[in-house]
Amino acid sequence: MELEGMKTETEKKINELRTKTANQLRIYQSEWRTAMINVKGSVKNEMAEMPSIGEYAISGLIAGLLSRKAELIAVAAELASIVSGTFQEELDIHSPSRVFKGFGININEGLIQGIQESSKQLNRVMRNVYGSMTNSTQKMIQANNNINSNNVPVPNHTTIENNYNMQFYSPKALDPYETARQNRNALRELSLQV
């Protein structure tokens, strides 16, 4: 029985401690909530003052710069002179600029490389042109041969005209291969002169 009384007393004390702890915890939560609201309010107030702080800072900076206007102008002129001199030195400007001269050379070299890299396409197109010129030339030669078979005298040279208004003179009649070769050489010379 004695133990039973002790058990009841212990349970009673445990319940009292729980109640006391719960009450204390509620007090702490309330204090924490109040403190956070105060912090939030003070931060909000501080942040609301930031624009005016920024305005004052800029106004102070402007006033400070204006009070030293003569020195500021002298420093700006010195900096401009340094920048100008550096540009002339680094870009090697001596009317005309040697650096820009180099750019011009590089542009031309790039153009040449571009033409060289597309030469396969150009050759393919030119072969098609030569082929059509060869066919035209063969037809002209056949027409000349037909005239020759009618006992019309053949002049001592052959003139072949094409769509590019080129004329080739030869003491003898040219075969289609030689005509195409002459056309190719003439077109190559024209392309170098452009």
Side-chain angles (χ1 to χ4, degrees):
M1 286 252 222
E2 203 174 298
L3 290 175
E4 202 170 299
M6 197 171 163
K7 178 181 172 191
T8 306
E9 187 67 28
T10 305
E11 285 177 359
K12 184 178 171 186
K13 286 188 179 191
I14 289 173
N15 285 334
E16 286 175 8
L17 282 173
R18 279 187 188 151
T19 305
K20 199 175 187 181
T21 304
N23 288 336
Q24 194 65 36
L25 187 59
R26 274 193 286 275
I27 292 169
Y28 290 147
Q29 286 175 340
S30 176
E31 288 176 0
W32 183 81
R33 204 175 290 121
T34 303
M36 285 297 108
I37 290 169
N38 290 338
V39 167
K40 181 180 174 187
S42 69
V43 168
K44 190 174 183 181
N45 291 338
E46 294 293 327
M47 294 306 281
E49 292 179 19
M50 288 302 240
S52 58
I53 291 172
E55 289 175 15
Y56 294 141
I58 290 174
S59 296
L61 179 64
I62 291 171
L65 289 172
L66 289 176
S67 71
R68 308 284 302 264
K69 186 176 178 182
E71 293 96 334
L72 186 62
I73 289 172
V75 168
E78 185 180 345
L79 287 174
S81 175
I82 291 169
V83 168
S84 172
T86 302
F87 267 113
Q88 284 182 328
E89 186 178 316
E90 291 301 317
L91 293 178
D92 201 17
I93 296 174
H94 299 283
S95 296
S97 166
R98 293 180 185 133
V99 169
F100 284 106
K101 176 183 174 185
F103 290 152
I105 290 170
N106 290 337
I107 289 169
N108 286 336
E109 288 178 359
L111 179 63
I112 291 167
Q113 286 179 1
I115 290 171
Q116 289 172 341
E117 288 175 10
S118 65
S119 65
K120 289 181 182 179
Q121 290 174 296
L122 179 62
N123 285 334
R124 187 173 50 247
V125 169
M126 294 310 292
R127 278 194 299 273
N128 291 339
V129 170
Y130 298 148
S132 65
M133 288 189 325
T134 301
N135 290 339
S136 299
T137 304
Q138 286 176 337
K139 289 177 184 174
M140 291 173 63
I141 289 173
Q142 287 174 351
N144 278 343
N145 287 341
N146 289 341
I147 293 172
N148 290 341
S149 64
N150 294 330
N151 292 327
V152 174
V154 178
N156 62 358
H157 71 277
T158 302
T159 301
I160 300 172
E161 294 184 31
N162 56 34
N163 293 337
Y164 299 95
N165 294 324
M166 292 186 288
Q167 295 183 351
F168 303 103
Y169 295 99
S170 174
K172 61 180 182 167
L174 299 176
D175 64 280
Y177 173 78
E178 182 61 24
T179 302
R181 192 182 71 73
Q182 292 284 341
N183 279 325
R184 184 187 71 221
N185 290 342
L187 287 171
R188 188 176 287 158
E189 285 181 29
L190 282 174
S191 70
L192 292 175
Q193 293 176 9
V194 173

